[in-house]
């Protein structure tokens, strides 16, 4: 830290992303990326002609992608906003709907960036503990009079609320924005997009990083009433109007259009998830009922931290959070069947089954 850093920033603890090692070939089950390649249509869309156009700025309105996305989700283009990953849209939403006097409510165990951004933006936090079994009690979110963010399915637990539970939260907070982070919804969750026309306080955020194989392209969509989306655009055009680059605009559009590939790959992940959950359960692990492209598991046989280290020594990266309540748990991304078999072989070796 330099002596010039603003004192307000010196107290912010930045998010620690999952390891992205460059030194060694690991089986990477630590950052919830897809093990599958992007759709062949994406590869074709990112053409040489498009690369040559990189000398020109990208379309700040992202008009073509918006039209495709709106048609895909049954919305108007004015109800959709692309972001540089869902991270950017979530950040824009916090900037737009919270401030020193308008706190953000979220669970104690959820996506770590919510709290980090609150630190950066001086937003007070209202942290609501999940129940003992890591489920979220919707009643805890009724009548809060605060902006709310709920990851659904949640990370790192993978647990999911039904749409009507979120609807109850929307109804009991008519004057607050409820942000539903649907980063993992395509792996068995129930999306709240169909509620958008009914609730002007609902903002749904999705990503292309997990179910559309584009984590490295950085693309997400925020969806809500035209008024909420206009608020997000106010932030975007005050910060970085060209936030989505040309190649990503093309890649995202092609990925959205290839619904067959999308359905095939997410079905494969869900099948492999069921297999993985069964294998872990057979070995005495407790595994939460995941609706995401990862599982959250723990065992009395070895501590989460030690298992994480031993798996890494065996060339397999998983995610361990050294945080209260979950220090004994591992979040394991669902890879290909072969990768998950390698994980089980390593677990057996480590536990000497
Ligand atoms: N929300 C949740 C719950 C996540 O787990 C993540 C990424 N790990 C994100 C949002 C951000 O995803 P991205 O910026 O890649 O769209």
């Amino acid at each position: 830290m330099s002596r010039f850093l603003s004192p307000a920033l010196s107290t912010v603890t930045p998010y620690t992303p999952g390891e992205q090692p460059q030194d060694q070939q690991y089986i990477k089950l630590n950052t919830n990326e897809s093990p599958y390649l992007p759709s062949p249509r994406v590869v074709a869309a990112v053409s040489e002609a498009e690369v040559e156009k990189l000398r020109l700025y990208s379309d700040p309105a992202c008009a073509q992608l918006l039209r495709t996305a709106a048609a895909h989700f049954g919305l108007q283009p004015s109800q959709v906003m692309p972001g540089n990953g869902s991270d950017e849209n979530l950040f824009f939403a916090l900037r737009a709907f919270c401030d020193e006097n308008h706190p953000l409510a979220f669970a104690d165990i959820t996506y770590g960036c919510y709290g980090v951004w609150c630190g950066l933006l001086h937003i007070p936090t209202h942290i609501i503990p999940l129940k003992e079994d890591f489920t979220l009690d919707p009643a805890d979110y009724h009548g809060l009079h605060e902006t709310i963010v709920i990851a659904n399915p949640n990370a790192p637990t993978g647990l999911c609320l039904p749409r009507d539970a979120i609807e109850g939260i929307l109804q009991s907070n008519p004057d607050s924005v409820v942000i539903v982070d649907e980063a993992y919804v395509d792996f068995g969750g129930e999306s709240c997009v169909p509620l958008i026309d009914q609730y002007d306080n609902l903002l749904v955020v999705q990503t292309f990083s997990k179910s559309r194989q584009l984590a490295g392209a950085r693309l997400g969509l925020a969806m809500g009433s035209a008024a909420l989306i206009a608020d997000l655009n106010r932030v975007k055009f005050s910060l970085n109007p060209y936030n989505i680059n040309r190649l990503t605009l093309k890649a995202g559009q092609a990925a959205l259009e290839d619904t067959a590939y999308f359905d095939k790959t997410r079905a494969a992940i869900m099948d492999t998830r069921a297999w993985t959950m069964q294998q872990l359960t057979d070995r005495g692990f407790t595994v939460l009922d995941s609706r995401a492209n990862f599982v959250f598991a723990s065992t009395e046989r070895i501590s989460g931290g030690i298992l994480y280290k031993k798996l890494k020594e065996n060339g397999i990266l998983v995610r361990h959070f050294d945080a209260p309540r979950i220090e004994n748990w591992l979040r394991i991304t669902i890879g290909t069947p072969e990768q998950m078999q390698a994980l089980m072989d390593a677990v057996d070796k480590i536990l000497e089954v």
Side-chain angles (χ1 to χ4, degrees), residues 84-87 90 111 114 151 155 181 183-184 207 209-210 218-219:
N84 193 302
S86 53
D87 276 345
L90 288 162
Y111 185 37
Y114 307 148
D181 179 351
Y184 301 102
T207 179
S209 296
K210 321 291 176 185
R218 313 302 303 126
L219 186 63

Side-chain angles (χ1 to χ4, degrees), residues 15 31-32 84-88 90 110-111 114 117 151-155 181-184 205-210 214-215 218-220 294 331:
Y15 180 69
T31 45
N32 300 342
N84 193 302
S86 53
D87 276 345
E88 188 182 58
L90 288 162
T110 190
Y111 185 37
Y114 307 148
W117 293 322
N152 196 42
N154 195 13
D181 179 351
E182 295 189 348
Y184 301 102
V205 175
Q206 293 196 1
T207 179
F208 286 58
S209 296
K210 321 291 176 185
L214 288 178
R218 313 302 303 126
L219 186 63
F294 56 81
R331 191 196 69 190

